[in-house]
Amino acid sequence: MSALVSIPRRSRCARLPHRATRTLRAAWLCALATLLPATAAQAQAAYTPPTFTNIAVHDPSIIRADGQHYVFGSHLSAARSPDLMRWSRVADGATASNPLFNDVTRELAETFAWAQTSTLWAPDVLRLADGRYYMFYNACKGDSPRSALGIAVASRVEGPYVNQGIVLKSGMWGLPSEDGTVYDATRHPNVVDPNVFFDATGRLWMVYGSYSGGIFVLRLDPATGRPLPGQGYGKHLMGGNHARIEGAYVLYSPLTQFYYLFTSFGGLDAAGGYHLRVARSRNPDGPYLDATGRDMATVKANPALPLFDDATIAPHAVKLIGNFRFDAALGERRLGGAGTAEPGYVSPGHNSAFVDAASGKHFVVFHTRFPGRGEEHEVRTHQLLINADGWPLITPFRYTGETATTLRAAFVAGDWRIVLHGKAISATVNTAQSISLLADGTVAGAYSGRWSLTGGHRLTLNLSGLGEVKAVALNQWDDTVQASTLALSGLAPDGSPVFARRLPTRSEAEVLAAVAAELSLGDTSAVSQALALPASGARGTTIAWRSSNPAVLSDAGAVTPPAAGQPAASVTLTATLRKGSQVLTRDFTVVVPARAADGLIAHYPFERSLAEAAGRSASGWPVGARIDAAGGNPAYVAGVAGQALWLDGSTGVRLPDGLLRSHSYSVALWVKPERLTEFTPAFFAARDGNAWVSLLPRGHGWVGNATMLWSGSAWYDAGTGLNIPAGQWSHLAFTVQQGAVRVYVNGTQRFAGTGFPNVFTSTNGPIALGVSWWDTPYQGALDELRLYGSALSAAQVQALATR
């Protein structure tokens, strides 16, 4: 296991130009010198919407050349932009046709041979004194730290680059390494992700490394870019024992005279909890310290714990940004406080950074994924502002030319949405809560406390349970509402980031009307599961519920259906909404059908439609190759009984959210896969990206690719010990009874266990057929899907499996 460096799905980057960037429209700079308009409509009139052209370059390393900003990333990908907002592709793919090399497959043949790969990871490009551009490239096997790092040189930033040879290697098992001792992956680096930089005195350095033995720094010859002799791998700065730390990048700030060491913690995919952190030093080679004064050279994974132990490293370094979403409170969209696409990021990381020499602005450039968009990623540039303690803070929204100006209390006071990122390394997307910064200097809402301006664009928040947050704020363009927003970025005492956005000013009556108009319980014509009844809305609105028939539908939304054979019950639910002195009520009619004799929640027979058979729930709908992707083209073929659903390998089907809502349930369906691929779900249901269940016709290699039930968060493997065939109908079913799980194939129990995770603790968990957020979609037929609100007996499952 010590050979492992990363998950197999891998790509990387890092880099800075020591010269910087000049942006952007004079009109924007002038407009942004004013403070927040009172309403979204005024903001929209005051500011010209910027134009974005997004680009996907993983691990973007930025350099300024020929009047353009260039980013170079993994897979030999590159793009350029005149303004950090509009990007165009320069190159992509480590293939013979990539214009950055005449033929990279031949030019870097030695590198590919050593690293046992056909691709390249995150490079860095820097212009040296001879006027030429030096690309520090690297390649890694991926499932071990067998890597090579070398230099290629070009007279133009866009190449073609000519190889100068490998300068460092790693992963030479049982052989002497660069420092003369036998290579040890727990303390020696993986020679990838280089960042080359000049210090304040003109000396040249390279910081590099990933997972394995951690992050290292080397002195380089400024004439050749090669390491000065006698250093081995250089000086260790951070990480070790395979701690998930990578993508190192150093930025020197003339403003603070600190060297800032940026790194990415976690795993880079959407479920990996990837995010940016920083430490600082007065010297280019450290020691680098965090906000508590901890030397990052002491931060390593615990060798006594499982590989990729995140818990040990999570408390250290200053976290700058993590998974977050400025989701809107109920009613907020109608108040102009959030658009239809809520702003937020997933796994933002592997950055570069620079200081613009003309303006003095500091910038960070990184790639990020997005909530609900799977592994799709794009480049983002954000401004960095320095707080009162000298720490760089990432502004919540992407850069569009804004300049920080002096804050005035009258424009800071108001309603805000605030996100606390925490220090955890987790796939959880941190969501927003409502607070108010009141004119008297107090804070109300989700957090209480006090706030004050401390000069210029800086302020301090003292929040209950969090402590003193040293923050910065400026007007930023919020693309989701097409308006300027006063945005805040702060640092809590534990080194965790705080983001916030000010909401447009609205009266109590306007807030209450908006919440009432947006309040919905969905389709209430046939309710058999508990209803999720919102208790609050935008800006402190409270919602209380009262039922006309609590025996059937309680004030809390619990459902007790009439007995089997009885008529359906019609219940009136009354919502009372309060905001300050304002009060409104709304009535909802809810029909609760009688209980099915067998506890059936939904039956989808797929008779040339995605309708539920008895009207117990709504119809399904097509999606693309991911649970959250648009598109999809389901078809119908001959099934076990009548017609069956056909999925073509790029299509899935979503079912109504929340059909499964407890720790006792059953799922049964017929499957006829045309092909069997590892991890592909026939049935998938989740609470979120961390907690889910997936029924796999072909499981993963740890269970011999057997048909299995798989669960995330607790990583539960319920393998059946057999492989169902392709091209034939098989009946799959599983039952869960308060953690006791059983899996059946063709009516025969093939697995029984305990401790199965309690996934469905919410009332809105997504359910899909044939797709998940990550894996290869299902290709083949599905038929007679049944969901139950209890665990079926073996005899009941056997009856369903009998044709």
Side-chain angles (χ1 to χ4, degrees):
M1 294 295 284
S2 64
L4 290 175
V5 62
S6 173
I7 58 175
R9 290 184 291 190
R10 189 69 179 98
S11 56
R12 323 229 170 192
C13 147
R15 175 54 221 138
L16 126 89
H18 55 290
R19 303 183 185 92
T21 139
R22 193 165 244 192
T23 20
L24 194 325
R25 319 174 186 198
W28 255 85
L29 293 176
C30 178
L32 286 169
T34 64
L35 282 168
L36 183 72
T39 68
Q42 288 173 327
Q44 198 164 356
Y47 303 112
T48 303
T51 300
F52 299 107
T53 306
N54 296 320
I55 201 76
V57 175
H58 216 265
D59 315 323
S61 167
I62 193 161
I63 182 173
R64 176 78 168 168
D66 301 332
Q68 298 274 319
H69 303 278
Y70 284 84
V71 288
F72 292 83
S74 290
H75 313 296
L76 205 57
S77 184
R80 61 176 171 256
S81 171
D83 55 15
L84 301 170
M85 299 190 303
R86 295 168 294 153
W87 294 95
S88 58
R89 177 75 61 193
V90 172
D92 191 38
T95 64
S97 61
N98 190 305
L100 294 177
F101 287 81
N102 285 328
D103 181 349
V104 72
T105 63
R106 291 185 303 182
E107 193 78 20
L108 303 187
E110 180 187 12
T111 298
F112 293 134
W114 172 263
Q116 300 174 20
T117 184
S118 59
T119 192
L120 294 168
W121 285 5
D124 196 23
V125 176
L126 182 68
R127 195 176 191 184
L128 296 187
D130 62 5
R132 297 189 297 171
Y133 294 91
Y134 285 67
M135 177 186 287
F136 293 80
Y137 63 81
N138 60 105
C140 178
K141 186 178 179 183
D143 58 357
S144 84
R146 187 173 178 88
S147 303
L149 190 156
I151 301 172
V153 178
S155 59
R156 298 176 58 251
V157 69
E158 294 189 20
Y161 286 83
V162 177
N163 188 29
Q164 305 297 298
I166 296 171
V167 298
L168 288 176
K169 291 181 180 178
S170 60
M172 55 284 286
W173 307 117
L175 298 173
S177 66
E178 300 286 355
D179 69 0
T181 63
V182 173
Y183 185 79
D184 178 353
T186 65
R187 64 182 185 88
H188 285 136
N190 181 18
V191 296
V192 295
D193 298 354
N195 163 227
V196 181
F197 65 97
F198 288 100
D199 68 18
T201 65
R203 294 178 298 176
L204 188 63
W205 302 82
M206 179 174 72
V207 62
Y208 70 100
S210 170
Y211 292 25
S212 299
I215 306 301
F216 286 69
V217 65
L218 275 168
R219 280 281 307 278
L220 303 183
D221 183 339
T224 65
R226 303 180 73 87
L228 294 175
Q231 299 180 88
Y233 283 121
K235 181 180 179 181
H236 174 260
L237 296 179
M238 181 190 299
N241 296 326
H242 301 293
R244 296 204 297 176
I245 302 173
E246 65 177 20
Y249 201 93
V250 172
L251 173 70
Y252 176 73
S253 170
L255 179 66
T256 66
Q257 298 181 351
F258 276 113
Y259 294 89
Y260 294 101
L261 173 62
F262 296 88
T263 51
S264 294
F265 281 39
L268 64 85
D269 59 348
Y274 213 48
H275 63 267
L276 291 177
R277 299 200 183 204
V278 71
R280 69 187 183 187
S281 176
R282 293 296 184 187
N283 306 302
D285 59 345
Y288 284 89
L289 310 180
D290 67 10
T292 68
R294 172 85 177 248
D295 183 350
M296 295 298 96
T298 66
V299 178
K300 301 177 182 180
N302 187 340
L305 296 178
L307 193 65
F308 304 150
D309 154 43
D310 288 338
T312 303
I313 65 173
H316 308 298
V318 167
K319 187 174 179 179
L320 293 175
I321 189 173
N323 294 351
F324 78 97
R325 185 177 68 243
F326 273 121
D327 50 330
L330 182 67
E332 200 60 67
R333 288 189 180 89
R334 294 174 182 266
L335 297 169
T340 56
E342 294 161 342
Y345 293 159
V346 169
S347 290
H350 210 131
N351 71 289
S352 51
F354 66 94
V355 178
D356 177 54
S359 67
K361 292 179 182 179
H362 295 52
F363 295 93
V364 62
V365 183
F366 54 91
H367 72 252
T368 185
R369 290 159 173 79
F370 304 92
R373 288 166 59 180
E375 298 304 323
E376 179 185 354
H377 58 86
E378 293 172 353
V379 172
R380 287 293 184 267
T381 302
H382 285 233
Q383 196 172 165
L384 292 168
L385 296 180
I386 308 298
N387 79 352
D389 290 335
W391 288 103
L393 304 182
I394 294 179
T395 53
F397 298 105
R398 65 196 300 185
Y399 180 69
T400 56
E402 66 270 10
T403 297
T405 58
T406 299
L407 298 171
R408 287 187 287 163
F411 290 99
V412 176
D415 295 325
W416 292 71
R417 293 287 281 172
I418 186 171
V419 176
L420 275 57
H421 293 248
K423 292 293 287 283
I425 302 171
S426 169
T428 298
V429 177
N430 298 298
T431 54
Q433 296 176 289
S434 295
I435 64 169
S436 295
L437 303 186
L438 303 178
D440 63 0
T442 60
V443 179
Y447 298 92
S448 60
R450 298 195 63 83
W451 70 275
S452 62
L453 300 181
T454 55
H457 57 270
R458 294 172 178 163
L459 66 162
T460 298
L461 305 176
N462 280 282
L463 301 179
S464 55
L466 195 63
E468 187 177 65
V469 177
K470 301 287 184 68
V472 295
L474 79 167
N475 278 345
Q476 291 198 278
W477 182 261
D478 180 352
D479 196 45
T480 62
V481 295
Q482 291 289 289
S484 178
T485 298
L486 188 59
L488 176 151
S489 179
L491 187 66
D494 66 349
S496 65
V498 176
F499 284 0
R501 61 198 293 261
R502 190 187 186 279
L503 303 174
T505 302
R506 296 291 184 266
S507 69
E508 288 182 348
E510 288 174 317
V511 171
L512 201 60
V515 175
E518 196 170 307
L519 182 61
S520 172
L521 299 181
D523 184 358
T524 58
S525 61
V527 174
S528 58
Q529 297 280 300
L531 287 174
L533 302 180
S536 62
R539 313 192 189 201
T541 300
T542 62
I543 307 173
W545 295 87
R546 188 169 186 83
S547 170
S548 66
N549 188 350
V552 174
L553 179 61
S554 76
D555 293 347
V559 174
T560 305
Q566 297 296 310
S570 181
V571 182
T572 299
L573 266 181
T574 299
T576 300
L577 298 85
R578 288 184 169 84
K579 169 68 175 171
S581 61
Q582 303 289 313
V583 180
L584 280 178
T585 61
R586 279 198 62 191
D587 289 338
F588 297 86
T589 300
V590 180
V591 177
V592 181
R595 188 187 310 275
D598 56 2
L600 185 66
I601 294 172
H603 171 209
Y604 291 89
F606 304 120
E607 295 302 318
R608 296 192 180 278
S609 82
L610 300 177
E612 200 277 326
R616 301 172 187 85
S617 65
S619 298
W621 64 94
V623 293
R626 296 289 183 268
I627 193 171
D628 48 14
N633 185 32
Y636 300 93
V637 296
V640 173
Q643 295 294 298
L645 174 67
W646 170 260
L647 301 178
D648 61 7
S650 62
T651 294
V653 167
R654 280 287 294 271
L655 301 181
D657 292 349
L659 289 177
L660 299 179
R661 300 186 181 185
S662 74
H663 203 21
S664 295
Y665 55 94
S666 300
V667 176
L669 76 165
W670 288 91
V671 303
K672 185 181 180 182
E674 181 174 293
R675 59 176 181 168
L676 292 164
T677 48
E678 195 175 39
F679 302 113
T680 292
F683 173 89
F684 180 85
R687 179 175 71 240
D688 52 42
N690 260 347
W692 44 265
V693 295
S694 189
L695 186 60
L696 310 180
R698 177 182 173 86
H700 55 65
W702 300 315
V703 294
N705 296 126
T707 301
M708 69 181 296
L709 177 67
W710 195 30
S711 180
S713 73
W715 297 108
Y716 197 105
D717 293 346
T720 63
L722 57 78
N723 305 89
I724 64 168
Q728 297 181 26
W729 284 107
S730 299
H731 189 266
L732 302 181
F734 65 94
T735 69
V736 177
Q737 178 67 40
Q738 297 298 319
V741 60
R742 288 173 169 78
V743 184
Y744 299 82
V745 179
N746 293 324
T748 300
Q749 181 180 298
R750 300 293 309 185
F751 179 89
T754 59
F756 194 73
N758 185 10
V759 171
F760 304 111
T761 59
S762 66
T763 58
N764 59 350
I767 299 177
L769 301 176
V771 293
S772 68
W773 280 300
W774 316 281
D775 301 305
T776 303
Y778 177 88
Q779 183 172 325
L782 302 171
D783 204 3
E784 296 296 323
L785 170 68
R786 289 178 168 87
L787 307 179
Y788 298 83
S790 60
L792 297 179
S793 68
Q796 288 173 311
V797 173
Q798 177 64 52
L800 294 175
T802 302
R803 285 197 277 179

